[in-house]
Amino acid sequence: MPLDPETFDALIAAIRRFVAERLRPLEERVAEEDEVPEEIVREMREMGLFGLSIPEEFGGLGLTMGEEVRVALEFGRTTPAFRSVFGTNVGIGSQGLVMAGSDAQKAEWLPRIASGEIVTSFALTEPGAGSDSASVQTRAVRDGEVYKLSGTKRFITNADKASLFTVMARTGGEGAHGVSAFLVPADLPGVSIGKPEKKMGQQGAHVCDVNFDETPVPVGNRLGEEGEGFKIAMRVLDRGRLHIAAVCVGVAERLIADAVAYASERKQFGKALADFQLVQAMIADSKTEALAARALVLETAERKDTGEPTVLEAAAAKYFASEMVGRVADRAVQIFGGAGYIADYGIERLYRDVRLFRIYEGTSQIQQLVIARETIRNGG
């Protein structure tokens, strides 16, 4: 059930101020230190950001998908690392539990996830399983009332901060039907976390390997039945793709605003860059694409909130929005010219940051396959 309009408008206004006054001034510091300051994390907890998508009965805000993407749009106007602080709690790290968890599992974990006491993480990708997510090799072998979990997960967001992992592991034969999902506390024996990877962009948002060595996971920590893990993962990613698409739109809108401000002030040949038609063409293309992506995201979120299937539409939104923001970032660098290549202006940082959007939560090529498959299945 959506928040009443007045309450939701107040939430958006508070987030907009938080982004503008607290987060944007810290962007360069976070990029240099590769760490989000703890006082910012604390403020995010106090604002309820870790529980945006957690039902109200468990202490969250219980936002609808339409409301969640509006929040994601606002957080797109700063470095994506800030959103990643709570992003796994809102999306891939918690939604498997929300969708498929038992009453006991929800009661045990969701209140602490919503408060930010627990940071969650989603452990699907492996050294040999990325886009081919049905081929995971991490194994969970049942031994009485526990599963012995062994394997390595790679590029896991927030792994070094997480207290709880949703882990996809093989309990049966090959293929998607042999994969099950487990809730794995980080303090169980045999769990070890690798050092944060050095990345092209999104400094401050850490990804690490997670290793499991005969980790004893109680049977009661399995999500759903054996063999349902892949289905749970795909449902989680379906929602996550729409969230990421909204972030892409927010970043694009930030880049357009920065490019327009710079083009209006920068003088060449005796007039502002914004007066040149070829610069105007780049601005026009960027604005048009961002508006189209925004409309697709909001329409798909509304459709999801009515209970309609959105597999195709979520994939299309993520595909179009992530490709769109890459083009907008490239044009922004071009409009800034030499300044766009210099770190002090921040444009080159966002240019690197947005490159990841075309890869995680399913690459653009995976989205194309999903879109084509669903379109053919539905007869066009």
Side-chain angles (χ1 to χ4, degrees), residues 316-338:
K318 200 272 183 179
Y319 172 51
F320 183 75
S322 62
E323 294 284 339
M324 173 276 297
V325 74
R327 293 189 291 269
V328 171
D330 188 75
R331 294 185 195 114
V333 172
Q334 196 70 15
I335 290 170
F336 272 74

Side-chain angles (χ1 to χ4, degrees), residues 177-214:
H177 295 297
V179 178
S180 300
F182 298 90
L183 297 170
V184 183
D187 60 0
L188 285 182
V191 178
S192 61
I193 312 300
K195 65 180 181 180
E197 301 282 358
K198 294 182 178 180
K199 310 189 306 300
M200 176 191 290
Q202 298 204 19
Q203 311 308 328
H206 296 168
V207 299
C208 314
D209 282 2
V210 184
N211 303 298
F212 303 98
D213 183 11
E214 293 287 298

Side-chain angles (χ1 to χ4, degrees), residues 44-121:
M44 289 178 172
R45 290 194 187 102
E46 292 169 355
M47 293 177 70
L49 297 178
F50 284 84
L52 292 175
S53 61
I54 306 296
E56 290 183 80
E57 63 186 290
F58 298 108
L61 296 182
L63 299 189
T64 65
M65 196 72 234
E67 291 168 337
E68 183 181 323
V69 297
R70 289 272 307 280
V71 171
L73 282 165
E74 296 299 327
F75 271 94
R77 296 191 173 93
T78 185
T79 175
F82 288 120
R83 186 208 61 88
S84 287
V85 169
F86 62 86
T88 49
N89 275 38
V90 170
I92 55 177
S94 71
Q95 289 306 297
L97 178 55
V98 172
M99 294 172 182
S102 67
D103 290 344
Q105 289 169 339
K106 291 177 180 179
E108 180 179 1
W109 297 107
L110 287 181
R112 289 184 286 164
I113 294 171
S115 70
E117 175 191 342
I118 285 177
V119 172
T120 59
S121 198

